[in-house]
């Protein structure tokens, strides 16, 4: 696990849990921090994420052939998301990164760089690429997109997914001073879940295909050549009806708790899915992401950990494309 972030020394910082323990869950009020991020202010410390650098003149064409994303001709400074699939189309690795003209630098979930690098190194062959774990050099941070403001009026649109930044690890404290106020991971996660954006390994499992969680069209480019697992993705995209769908769950707020990740989702007494990540949203209350079987009615109320859970569509159950929840 990554060493604790130096930003845990900031006033009010409370460390996270589990894989997110090295960074702050909040700095005193996660509700206030959510509102700051929605207003386009502040930043989030994601320095516990692993960072991988792929350099060499063949890197973009190599990644283009290996992953689900269109890397050929990727312009410097443009962030992109990509997946590595199994031969049968299941998601094995997920990464987000940016090219600087000489190297493509990407981050993964905490602890995921080792398996990713091991896979990539097996795929090098005669290609002119070099792969390195640079987690000890670079820290991931995130800032929201500032709200659009009309003169003399309230914001007319809220920020989207925001922008990630790769900061030299020894300059993280300096970045925080310039980018503040600091907002914790609980606020970041609540807004991510409300957007219906899955987190690899936490909202997905070993059976997940991109069509189930809305990664087709974002992490999966539909107009590129062959890649491993393409047949499954293309078939489901063409014929529709992925076996499961990602949903936003609105949880009963009468109990002061959130469901445990991987808790079963029940329709009556019948298991029909699993809960992923959950959070307390400052407007929506307790929410979570869940994977539900395709044949479960969209208006069916489910239960998890003895709590009622109403579904909101995140991924269209017929075509497998992401439908942004209406806020």
């Amino acid at each position: 696990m990554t060493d604790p972030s130096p930003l845990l020394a900031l006033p009010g910082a409370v460390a996270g849990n589990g894989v997110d323990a090295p960074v702050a869950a909040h700095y005193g009020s996660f509700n206030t921090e959510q509102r700051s991020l929605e207003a386009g202010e502040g930043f989030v410390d994601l320095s516990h994420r692993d960072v991988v650098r792929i350099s060499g003149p063949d890197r973009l064409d190599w990644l283009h052939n290996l992953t689900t994303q269109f890397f050929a001709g990727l312009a410097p400074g443009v962030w992109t998301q990509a997946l590595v699939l199994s031969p049968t189309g299941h998601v094995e690795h997920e990464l987000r990164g940016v090219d600087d003209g000489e190297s493509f630098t990407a981050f993964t979930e905490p602890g995921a760089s080792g398996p990713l690098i091991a896979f990539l190194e097996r795929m090098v062959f005669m290609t002119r690429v070099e792969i390195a774990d640079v987690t000890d050099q670079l820290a991931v941070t995130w800032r929201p997109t500032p709200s659009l403001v009309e003169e003399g009026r309230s914001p007319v649109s809220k920020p989207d997914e925001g922008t990630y930044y790769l900061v030299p690890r020894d300059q993280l404290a300096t970045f925080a001073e310039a980018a503040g106020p600091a907002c914790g991971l609980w606020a970041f996660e609540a807004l991510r879940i409300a957007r219906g954006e899955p987190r690899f390994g936490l909202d997905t499992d070993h059976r997940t295909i991109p069509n189930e969680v809305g990664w087709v069209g974002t992490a999966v480019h539909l107009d590129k050549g062959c890649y491993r697992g393409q047949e499954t993705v293309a078939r489901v995209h063409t014929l529709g009806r992925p076996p499961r769908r990602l949903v936003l769950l609105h949880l009963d707020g009468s109990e002061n708790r959130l469901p445990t990740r991987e808790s079963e989702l029940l329709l009556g007494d019948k298991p029909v899915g699993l809960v992923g990540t959950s959070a307390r949203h400052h407007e929506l209350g307790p929410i979570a992401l869940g994977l539900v079987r395709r044949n479960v009615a969209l208006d069916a109320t489910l239960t998890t950990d003895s709590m009622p859970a109403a579904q909101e569509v995140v991924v269209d159950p017929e075509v497998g494309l992401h439908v942004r929840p209406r806020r």
Side-chain angles (χ1 to χ4, degrees):
M1 182 179 287
T2 306
D3 291 337
S5 170
L7 301 189
L8 284 172
L10 292 178
V14 175
N17 300 312
V19 296
D20 296 327
V23 297
H26 63 86
Y27 296 88
S29 173
F30 61 89
N31 282 332
T32 299
E33 292 160 24
Q34 286 182 51
R35 294 187 178 95
S36 293
L37 295 178
E38 284 196 327
E41 301 171 352
F43 78 98
V44 179
D45 178 13
L46 300 173
S47 60
H48 62 317
R49 303 290 180 94
D50 289 1
V51 184
V52 175
R53 176 172 289 155
I54 303 166
S55 55
D58 296 336
R59 68 192 181 283
L60 294 181
D61 289 338
W62 181 69
L63 287 168
H64 183 88
N65 294 329
L66 193 62
T67 74
T68 59
Q69 191 54 270
F70 200 104
F71 277 95
L74 179 67
V78 177
W79 279 84
T80 192
Q81 180 186 17
L83 309 174
V84 174
L85 306 182
S86 73
T88 53
H90 299 113
V91 181
E92 292 187 338
H93 304 282
E94 183 259 356
L95 59 154
R96 301 184 188 212
V98 63
D99 198 78
D100 64 3
E102 297 182 355
S103 301
F104 180 77
T105 306
F107 70 86
T108 69
E109 286 292 333
S113 65
L116 174 62
I117 290 174
F119 169 80
L120 294 176
E121 288 178 339
R122 293 198 302 270
M123 299 293 113
V124 171
F125 304 119
M126 300 297 291
T127 311
R128 296 174 297 171
V129 296
E130 296 180 2
I131 306 159
D133 188 323
V134 293
T135 307
D136 62 342
Q137 301 173 36
L138 294 173
V140 183
T141 62
W142 181 89
R143 297 189 71 184
T145 302
S147 300
L148 301 176
V149 180
E150 257 185 82
E151 186 175 354
R153 298 182 61 183
S154 299
V156 295
S157 72
K158 291 185 177 181
D160 57 13
E161 288 83 352
T163 303
Y164 292 97
Y165 295 86
L166 296 168
V167 180
R169 194 164 285 275
D170 60 0
Q171 297 177 25
L172 189 57
T174 302
F175 174 89
E177 291 177 5
C183 300
L185 199 64
W186 283 3
F188 176 82
E189 289 286 272
L191 300 182
R192 173 189 65 81
I193 292 169
R195 292 195 301 268
E197 179 185 322
R199 188 170 167 187
F200 174 70
L202 298 179
D203 297 306
T204 66
D205 59 22
H206 68 283
R207 296 187 294 121
T208 299
I209 63 173
N211 316 67
E212 294 177 324
V213 294
W215 276 337
V216 173
T218 53
V220 177
H221 198 287
L222 293 173
D223 297 321
K224 61 167 288 183
C226 294
Y227 54 87
R228 193 168 77 157
Q230 182 190 32
E231 182 179 353
T232 297
V233 174
R235 182 176 67 251
V236 174
H237 180 68
T238 300
L239 300 178
R241 306 173 70 125
R244 299 179 298 177
R245 65 175 182 271
L246 188 73
V247 298
L248 177 63
L249 298 169
H250 295 267
L251 303 165
D252 183 351
S254 61
E255 297 190 49
N256 188 26
R257 61 189 178 92
L258 294 170
T260 303
R261 195 177 72 82
E262 296 186 331
S263 295
E264 286 187 327
L265 282 165
L266 303 175
L267 180 58
D269 296 328
K270 180 181 178 181
V272 294
L274 293 173
V275 173
T277 52
S278 58
R280 292 180 175 86
H281 192 276
H282 70 101
E283 291 180 338
L284 302 177
I287 54 175
L289 292 177
L291 277 172
V292 179
R293 293 179 187 172
R294 178 185 57 78
N295 59 0
V296 175
L298 296 173
D299 59 355
T301 296
L302 310 177
T303 59
T304 181
D305 277 1
S306 300
M307 289 181 284
Q311 304 175 70
E312 181 178 350
V313 174
V314 170
V315 174
D316 188 301
E318 296 301 318
V319 298
L321 295 177
H322 195 280
V323 180
R324 182 181 297 274
R326 295 177 181 174
R327 295 279 75 86

